């Protein structure tokens, strides 16, 4: 089973993807996480990626496609969850070709629908556990007073550089202009399903499970 999560920044793709990893034993491939890893190496490519990601623009198709290609070739799994990939029509075409080479295809594309204004609050208040990636929020899911991750016990919490209002506006523009056309692309293939991304995490999770198990 191969699943794509489609949705604006802050729609909850990563959170739901991690739940599916646990429920279905799939491997999560997040291009955002891979690109952040490439920045921590402090190489020329890492610096270039940072200068594109921090203000909220999309990294070139060539870079992200080669990251996914490499992971698909080197990971043994019964299926993958693509979290934040593809983000352009070019990336979607490349993914179809790559999966074809591996004799597989996309099972379902889950679109997480959210209102853009709700995203500003979600994103600007968001922080995560640096160890396990659990997501928290300054007002809706705060860790105070302990500041200890409830999932893994780490005290290392972090905030993303691009989780500020200005970068978010650019990320939303990039989503609307370059990624939203994928909704029609997958609708035409008959594999698009939409869920309400403003519901509670568990409600969304059961809606997704229902889609995948039908
Ligand atoms: P995310 O963690 O998915 O929110 O991605 C964070 C940032 O990484 C995005 O704003 C882009 O700059 C970059 N990025 C992640 N995935 C892609 C992709 N598939 N194509 C282009 N840029 C990407």
């Amino acid at each position: 089973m191969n699943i794509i999560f489609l949705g604006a920044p802050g729609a909850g793709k990563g959170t739901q993807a991690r739940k599916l990893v646990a429920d279905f034993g799939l491997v999560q491939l997040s291009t955002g996480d891979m690109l952040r890893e490439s920045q921590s190496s402090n190489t020329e490519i890492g610096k270039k990626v940072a200068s594109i990601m921090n203000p909220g623009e999309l990294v070139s198709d060539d870079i992200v496609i080669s990251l996914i290609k490499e992971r698909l070739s080197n990971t043994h799994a019964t299926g993958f969850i693509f979290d934040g990939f593809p983000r352009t029509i070019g990336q979607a075409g490349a993914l179809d070709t790559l999966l074809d080479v591996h004799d597989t295809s996309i099972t379902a594309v889950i679109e997480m629908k959210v209102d853009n204004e709700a995203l500003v609050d979600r994103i600007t208040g968001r922080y995560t556990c640096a160890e396990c990636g659990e997501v928290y929020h300054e007002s809706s899911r705060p860790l105070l007073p302990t500041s200890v991750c409830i999932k893994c016990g780490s005290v290392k919490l972090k905030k993303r550089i691009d989780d500020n209002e200005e970068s978010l506006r650019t990320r939303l523009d990039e989503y609307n202009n370059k990624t939203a056309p994928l909704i029609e692309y997958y609708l035409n293939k008959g594999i698009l399903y939409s869920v309400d991304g403003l519901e509670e995490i568990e409600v969304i999770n059961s809606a997704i499970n229902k889609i995948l198990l039908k």
Side-chain angles (χ1 to χ4, degrees):
M1 185 191 299
N2 297 303
I3 313 295
I4 291 174
F5 272 108
L6 205 57
K13 302 184 294 291
T15 301
Q16 293 298 331
R18 275 191 294 280
K19 285 199 155 284
L20 284 200
V21 167
D23 293 346
F24 292 89
L26 304 171
V27 169
Q28 179 182 3
L29 296 182
S30 157
T31 40
D33 285 348
M34 293 176 204
L35 291 165
R36 277 182 287 278
E37 259 165 45
S38 81
Q39 285 185 42
S40 58
S41 58
N42 210 24
T43 54
E44 275 316 304
I45 179 93
K47 283 184 207 156
K48 190 176 161 212
V49 163
S51 72
I52 299 167
M53 277 176 84
N54 292 348
E57 288 156 24
L58 287 191
V59 172
S60 75
D61 283 359
D62 287 356
I63 292 179
V64 286
I65 291 166
S66 69
L67 286 172
I68 288 288
K69 187 175 178 184
E70 202 250 353
R71 289 293 170 109
L72 285 179
S73 300
N74 295 321
T75 314
H76 291 285
T78 52
F80 294 94
I81 303 169
F82 297 94
D83 161 16
F85 179 90
R87 264 175 153 104
T88 63
I89 294 284
Q91 291 176 24
L95 180 60
D96 289 341
T97 308
L98 282 174
L99 291 177
D100 212 31
V101 169
H102 290 269
D103 253 343
T104 185
S105 59
I106 297 297
T107 316
V109 178
I110 311 285
E111 182 207 3
M112 306 199 47
K113 281 183 178 288
V114 276
D115 165 66
N116 278 5
E117 283 318 303
L119 296 174
V120 178
D121 174 61
R122 268 202 193 181
I123 288 272
T124 53
R126 172 166 81 169
Y127 58 99
T128 58
C129 170
E131 292 295 333
C132 72
E134 187 71 3
V135 182
Y136 298 97
H137 188 276
E138 280 159 13
S139 52
S140 62
R141 199 181 184 224
L143 263 186
L144 296 171
T146 58
S147 293
V148 175
C149 175
I150 51 169
K151 197 165 169 212
C152 75
S154 169
V155 290
K156 279 197 234 151
L157 301 170
K158 63 177 184 188
K159 206 167 163 54
R160 277 170 51 170
I161 298 175
D162 58 347
D163 275 354
N164 63 76
E165 198 163 340
E166 199 185 335
S167 301
L168 175 61
R169 296 283 170 203
T170 306
R171 288 158 72 193
L172 286 173
D173 285 347
E174 291 282 64
Y175 180 79
N176 292 331
N177 295 332
K178 298 177 185 163
T179 310
L182 292 178
I183 294 169
E184 200 180 328
Y185 180 88
Y186 290 116
L187 196 62
N188 289 338
K189 287 179 179 277
I191 52 172
L192 185 87
Y193 302 87
S194 299
V195 295
D196 181 355
L198 291 177
E199 284 283 4
E200 293 294 318
I201 290 174
E202 291 309 326
V203 175
I204 302 171
N205 176 243
S206 44
I208 293 172
N209 282 1
K210 217 181 260 173
I211 291 167
L212 299 182
L213 293 172
K214 86 172 171 76

